[in-house]
Amino acid sequence: MRELIQLEVKGHTLWGTYHPATAAKPSRVGFLFLNPGHVPRSGHGGLSARAADALAAQGFPCFRVDLPGLGDSDGPLPETTAELYQFVCGGGFVEVAQAVHAELLKRHGLKGLVLGGLCGAATTSLYLADRAPEGIEGVFMFEPEFYLSEQEAAGAGGEAPPEETGKATLRSRLPLRRVTSKLFSYWGWMRMLTRENEYARLFRYVPFPRQFLLDLLMDWGTLPAVANVPLVRAWQRVVERGVPVLVITAEGKLRDVFFDRIHRAAFADLKVATLERLRLRGTNHIFTTGGAIDACIGHLSRWAGEHFVEGAAPVAGMPQVAELHGAR
């Protein structure tokens, strides 16, 4: 069962979908799905809608809300998608998402919400979990992007952006090491080696030391010049606080490889007990091939049952990074 909902927040009228929990005793923890990039709240291939249905069947109230200008919600939009991506990278939707979060908690009497979604939804959710953690029980991030838009990085001359200068309470204790590699040499090789540009076709049938070159390119202990440093800092702080986080990526693709480098640079050898990291084989960025949508929903449902069911025993001995291969 689904219900259309309307939210009046920060001068915006937003539209969303409410999936009431179908269990006899609903959980006081709900799930909130935000827009994946500029895509409506249903998500690519219905990922968000189907995932919310599955979680509601487990007893979790679920919500999918269109942010201003996206889906059914009115609001200003930039002229190009590149500008929208820069807006999301900088946390432009965080203030509205925070107001949505507060309104849903109040309206439904919930203890907290688990936030997330694909791509841009993961970015906004991570920023929000860092800046306003009260009432945020966890974060799920599908194909998160920890890099700047290529246009913004180019405008910075290929250099990593300056770190934010917030209050001392917002600083992570962990160091970040950065390099200032040339943007286009690094970015071009990354896109080719993860088979995400036009030149990758040339090497499909030709022997090519892809992994060797990838290892050579990736200085695993440092951040690349195109890293979104404020988002990486938010990542450090959220994980340091022990917030349960689920990360799912498409194995071998750009965001998968980039996340590995970001995570290693941000945490080095620190064990992260509350992070679960999964890779789905044989799929794309939006999980629409290889049965990945079903696999993603299955992993999310299991993770939700392990962490957010009241009275459930905590998961003991979870490794720093749990890697499961195969989308089926």
Side-chain angles (χ1 to χ4, degrees), residues 19 43 83 93 100 114 118 135 140 160 194 196 207-208 236 257 261 326:
H19 300 245
E83 291 176 275
F93 279 130
V100 169
V114 184
L118 178 76
F140 56 100
T194 55
E196 294 196 26
F208 187 63
Q236 286 183 310
V257 175
R261 180 170 182 183

Side-chain angles (χ1 to χ4, degrees), residues 181-192:
S181 59
K182 293 292 185 180
L183 170 65
F184 293 107
S185 60
Y186 174 86
W187 200 241
W189 276 102
M190 273 288 291
R191 294 191 70 87
M192 186 177 73

Side-chain angles (χ1 to χ4, degrees), residues 213-293:
L213 290 174
L214 196 57
D215 289 339
L216 187 65
L217 177 69
M218 300 290 276
D219 181 352
W220 294 105
T222 59
L223 288 183
V226 293
N228 185 345
V229 175
L231 187 63
V232 176
R233 280 297 192 192
W235 173 243
Q236 286 183 310
R237 291 186 289 261
V238 168
V239 173
E240 278 186 288
R241 290 205 320 266
V243 176
V245 180
L246 174 66
V247 177
I248 302 181
T249 54
E251 184 185 37
K253 299 299 183 180
L254 181 64
R255 293 157 188 83
D256 174 61
V257 175
F258 202 88
F259 175 82
D260 283 347
R261 180 170 182 183
I262 289 296
H263 187 72
R264 294 191 203 187
F267 290 99
D269 296 327
L270 181 69
K271 291 186 177 181
V272 182
T274 56
L275 167 66
E276 183 170 356
R277 164 86 158 91
L278 307 175
R279 292 179 170 90
L280 301 183
R281 179 173 296 168
T283 192
N284 53 29
H285 168 53
I286 55 177
F287 295 164
T288 52
T289 58
I293 285 181

Side-chain angles (χ1 to χ4, degrees), residues 80-120:
T80 67
T81 54
E83 291 176 275
L84 176 63
Y85 294 158
Q86 290 178 15
F87 182 74
V88 174
C89 282
F93 279 130
V94 173
E95 186 177 359
V96 173
Q98 182 180 357
V100 169
H101 170 265
E103 175 61 24
L104 291 175
L105 291 185
K106 178 182 177 182
R107 184 179 298 190
H108 295 273
L110 297 173
K111 170 188 173 186
L113 287 170
V114 184
L115 311 177
L118 178 76
C119 195

Side-chain angles (χ1 to χ4, degrees), residues 7 9-10 12 14 32-35 63 65-68 70 87-88 91-105 113-116 120-129 131-132 134-136:
L7 303 172
V9 297
K10 297 292 180 179
H12 299 284
L14 307 182
L32 172 59
F33 293 79
L34 300 175
N35 298 89
F63 309 89
V65 177
D66 281 332
L67 295 172
L70 304 177
F87 182 74
V88 174
F93 279 130
V94 173
E95 186 177 359
V96 173
Q98 182 180 357
V100 169
H101 170 265
E103 175 61 24
L104 291 175
L105 291 185
L113 287 170
V114 184
L115 311 177
T123 297
T124 299
S125 298
L126 180 57
Y127 272 134
L128 180 53
R131 298 177 189 179
E134 186 175 356
I136 295 178

